[in-house]
């Protein structure tokens, strides 16, 4: 039976993640409400704007239910803004009152927009631990990881900084694999969800 994986659909590139997950064998659906969150085995938090996503998590009354599911062991994968939100600490988190809110799922410190502004976005081929051959990575106003805890495995680096990490059932990338057509990161996450089941 295919794992049921939700994609947080408050803001960001939801459609691309849904397509990538389905191509990787998951039963993928959007998540906007607590009842939809309750119905999935795992969650993808897409790229987008982390302060806006944090605000919308509160508006849709999803922040605390999501924190609870993550603390209870629900697998999650975050790309770009999703990586930022999965962290325990966020640097340059935004304007007080409208800042990016950590979900405390991966023991790491992440810096928002670390590679620069939109005009500094770039693509690169990077080595990704556990994948055969380089992975083409698209970085858009991307974060990087400045600190990882003892239980966090660094899977890839760019410009000397961690840009892909895993801690138990949690996976995060600073880049956007959903836009390249390479489904290996999504396949890895689907396998993580199946292994947990």
């Amino acid at each position: 039976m295919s794992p049921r994986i939700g994609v947080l659909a408050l803001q960001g590139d939801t459609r691309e993640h849904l397509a990538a997950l389905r191509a990787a064998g998951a039963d993928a659906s959007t998540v906007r409400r607590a009842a939809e969150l309750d119905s999935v085995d795992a969650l993808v938090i897409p790229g987008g704007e982390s302060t806006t996503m944090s605000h919308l998590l509160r508006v849709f009354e999803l922040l605390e239910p999501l924190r609870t599911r993550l603390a209870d062991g629900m697998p999650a994968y975050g790309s770009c803004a999703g990586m930022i939100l999965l962290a325990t600490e966020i640097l340059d988190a935004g304007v007080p009152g409208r800042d990016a809110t950590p979900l405390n799922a991966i023991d790491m410190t992440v810096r928002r927009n670390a590679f620069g502004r939109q005009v500094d976005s770039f693509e690169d081929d990077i080595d990704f631990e556990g994948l055969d051959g380089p992975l083409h990575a698209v970085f858009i106003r991307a974060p990087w990881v400045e600190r990882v805890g003892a239980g966090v495995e660094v899977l890839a680096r760019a410009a000397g900084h961690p840009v892909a990490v895993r801690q138990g059932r949690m996976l995060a990338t600073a880049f956007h694999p959903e836009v390249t057509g390479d489904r290996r990161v999504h396949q890895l996450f689907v396998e993580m969800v199946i292994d947990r089941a």
Side-chain angles (χ1 to χ4, degrees), residues 54 63 67 84-90 93 99-105:
S54 296
L63 181 61
R67 279 184 167 156
I84 294 166
L85 295 181
L86 288 175
T88 49
E89 182 182 18
I90 302 169
D99 53 349
T101 304
L103 295 170
N104 302 318

Side-chain angles (χ1 to χ4, degrees), residues 34-182:
E36 294 167 337
L37 179 63
D38 290 341
S39 73
V40 297
D41 303 314
L43 185 71
V44 170
I45 304 174
E49 213 293 312
S50 56
T51 58
T52 300
M53 291 171 75
S54 296
H55 172 69
L56 292 172
L57 281 169
R58 294 185 188 93
V59 169
F60 283 80
E61 299 181 347
L62 271 173
L63 181 61
E64 292 312 318
L66 178 51
R67 279 184 167 156
T68 298
R69 286 290 314 271
L70 293 170
D72 289 344
M74 177 185 69
Y77 164 51
S79 67
C80 198
M83 169 185 256
I84 294 166
L85 295 181
L86 288 175
T88 49
E89 182 182 18
I90 302 169
L91 303 179
D92 300 327
V95 180
R98 287 276 302 191
D99 53 349
T101 304
L103 295 170
N104 302 318
I106 299 177
D107 183 9
M108 63 180 174
T109 301
V110 174
R111 183 174 297 280
R112 290 177 70 238
N113 302 329
F115 287 101
R117 303 177 69 79
Q118 190 80 22
V119 295
D120 302 306
S121 299
F122 67 99
E123 300 181 24
D124 195 12
D125 292 328
I126 60 173
D127 294 322
F128 192 108
E129 187 73 30
L131 299 185
D132 293 332
L135 184 74
H136 189 70
V138 177
F139 294 85
I140 304 169
R141 289 180 58 205
W144 67 42
V145 179
E146 295 215 349
R147 177 201 62 83
V148 294
V152 180
E153 179 184 4
V154 175
L155 302 176
R157 294 178 183 271
H161 295 279
V163 293
V165 297
R166 178 178 180 176
Q167 182 176 19
R169 294 177 287 270
M170 306 295 167
L171 179 68
T173 62
F175 50 89
H176 293 264
E178 73 280 4
V179 302
T180 65
D182 187 331

Side-chain angles (χ1 to χ4, degrees), residues 14 27 37 57 134 149-150 160 183:
T14 304
D27 175 9
L37 179 63
L57 281 169
R183 302 305 187 215

